[in-house]
Amino acid sequence: MNKYFLKKVLFSLLIFGSLFLGPKSWATKYAGEFLSLGVGARALAMGGAYTALASDATGAYWNPAGIAQMERPQITFMHSATFGDLVKYDYLGLVKPGGKATLGFCLLRLGIDEIPDTRGALLDEDNDGEMDQGEKLDEEKIKMIRDEELALFTSYALKKKKNLFWGVSAKLLGKFIGENQSLGIGFDVGCLYSPFPFLSLGMNFQDPTGTILVWDTGRKEIITPTCRTGFALKRKTNSPPGMFNLSFDTETRFEGRKTAAQFAISSLSIDTHLGVEYWLKNTVALRLGLDKGNLTVGAGLKYKRFQVDYAFLNNEDLGDCNRLSGSFHF
């Protein structure tokens, strides 16, 4: 067996181990982790500090209120692959303004394709149910399955005043592991307020009532509430002509992450996100950020109705990855 095959076997053991363990393993912690990975290379290059800046087709994810600021329809796509191309992560977003109200739609997918299912493939000579020294797997009995997590967002945003915006996103969630699947419905509520032209304040309350994912095995996962708050400072520069953005977000959870978070007290945990961006003549952008203490960098390029963004994310635990996204204004 090659190393690539062995990595997939490891992923399959982790996935099925969690699926068929007892109810205590199905606590709420990390149930909605695939929804916290972030979308759009611009936002990710700024460390995920985007709650107060989300005025593009990624706003349905970051802050549904932000899309109410858009004047033209936009479509955005992002793709990335991590862990040696094992895990694929994709995002497709579409926003259509219409008077005071704006509609947004987006699809998020995290997937591992062709995972080796080794159950039933062990040549168990002593029938103890474990792989002992000298025993091996019968590769002809190994089945290929997939692990796929999907989220479909439908967003509705309103401009209440010249500088105040509200939005809500309804979410249809699904997880698919081999022959098993789960479904759930949740929602997010966001607001955006600009008391001054140079300052924006944003909030996105995700899954405020908790979102239940029900598996066909009868087990349940609960995605607990998450509250993202942030601010963004904007300043124009004259020499050279450009725009400078500074943003900061806090992400508050209530699922007892403890040492997995930057700051934690009992079941409450807080992570921080910081981003800096400079646009030169509204054409070329340079970005730098800190995502929960991890360094992020990136760049962007605008040409007429097109925009391309790149982000490099550094993570000592999960490994480095690259994100590329593109958008088009109609």
Side-chain angles (χ1 to χ4, degrees), residues 63-281:
N63 185 354
I67 64 174
Q69 302 176 92
M70 298 179 64
E71 298 178 353
R72 293 184 298 174
Q74 184 187 59
I75 186 170
T76 294
F77 174 74
M78 184 196 76
H79 171 74
S80 71
T82 56
F83 296 107
D85 205 36
L86 285 176
V87 183
K88 295 179 176 61
Y89 183 47
D90 298 287
Y91 175 86
L92 178 64
L94 172 65
V95 171
K96 188 180 186 306
K100 289 187 176 181
T102 301
L103 291 176
F105 306 91
C106 70
L107 178 65
L108 187 155
R109 178 189 182 271
L110 178 70
I112 308 172
D113 301 317
E114 295 187 345
I115 302 172
D117 179 3
T118 60
R119 295 172 300 169
L122 175 62
L123 298 175
D124 193 4
E125 297 179 359
D126 55 6
N127 295 316
D128 64 352
E130 299 179 359
M131 179 179 282
D132 302 314
Q133 186 174 3
E135 295 179 342
K136 60 181 181 179
L137 299 174
D138 184 349
E139 295 191 23
E140 293 184 358
K141 295 182 179 181
I142 296 177
K143 300 178 183 178
M144 292 297 176
I145 61 170
R146 65 188 173 101
D147 172 27
E148 189 174 42
E149 299 177 76
L150 298 171
L152 177 63
F153 291 68
T154 301
S155 302
Y156 179 81
L158 285 173
K159 181 179 180 180
K160 301 296 290 184
K161 296 181 180 179
K162 183 179 179 179
N163 58 352
L164 178 62
F165 309 89
W166 294 91
V168 60
S169 289
K171 302 183 292 188
L172 176 62
L173 309 177
K175 292 186 179 183
F176 308 88
I177 303 176
E179 298 177 353
N180 298 100
Q181 63 182 16
S182 69
L183 294 174
I185 298 176
F187 68 97
D188 303 335
V189 179
C191 66
L192 189 66
Y193 177 55
S194 297
F196 307 102
F198 61 86
L199 174 65
S200 294
L201 306 174
M203 183 195 74
N204 186 18
F205 201 2
Q206 301 168 323
D207 307 289
T209 60
T211 298
I212 299 176
L213 289 168
V214 181
W215 286 87
D216 54 8
T217 60
R219 290 181 170 83
K220 297 179 181 179
E221 289 180 285
I222 301 177
I223 300 176
T224 55
T226 299
C227 186
R228 295 187 67 108
T229 58
F231 70 85
L233 296 171
K234 309 172 186 179
R235 181 173 180 176
K236 291 184 178 180
T237 59
N238 296 320
S239 182
M243 174 67 76
F244 177 81
N245 294 317
L246 171 68
S247 57
F248 179 78
D249 276 16
T250 60
E251 188 176 6
T252 305
R253 299 178 184 273
F254 307 90
E255 57 180 25
R257 294 201 167 202
K258 298 182 180 178
T259 57
Q262 287 182 293
F263 309 98
I265 301 176
S266 185
S267 62
L268 176 70
S269 64
I270 299 176
D271 290 304
T272 61
H273 307 268
L274 175 67
V276 179
E277 175 185 60
Y278 179 72
W279 277 101
L280 176 62
K281 297 182 179 180

Side-chain angles (χ1 to χ4, degrees), residues 22-45:
K24 289 186 179 180
S25 68
W26 287 81
T28 58
K29 190 181 294 187
Y30 310 120
E33 193 66 15
F34 79 103
L35 294 173
S36 67
L37 298 178
V39 301
R42 180 193 177 195
L44 293 170

Side-chain angles (χ1 to χ4, degrees), residues 40-52:
R42 180 193 177 195
L44 293 170
M46 297 181 70
Y50 210 61
T51 305

Side-chain angles (χ1 to χ4, degrees), residues 83 291-296 312-321:
F83 296 107
D291 181 5
K292 304 176 185 178
N294 297 307
L295 178 66
T296 62
F312 172 80
L313 314 180
N314 171 259
N315 192 302
E316 295 181 359
D317 298 321
L318 301 178
D320 302 335
C321 68

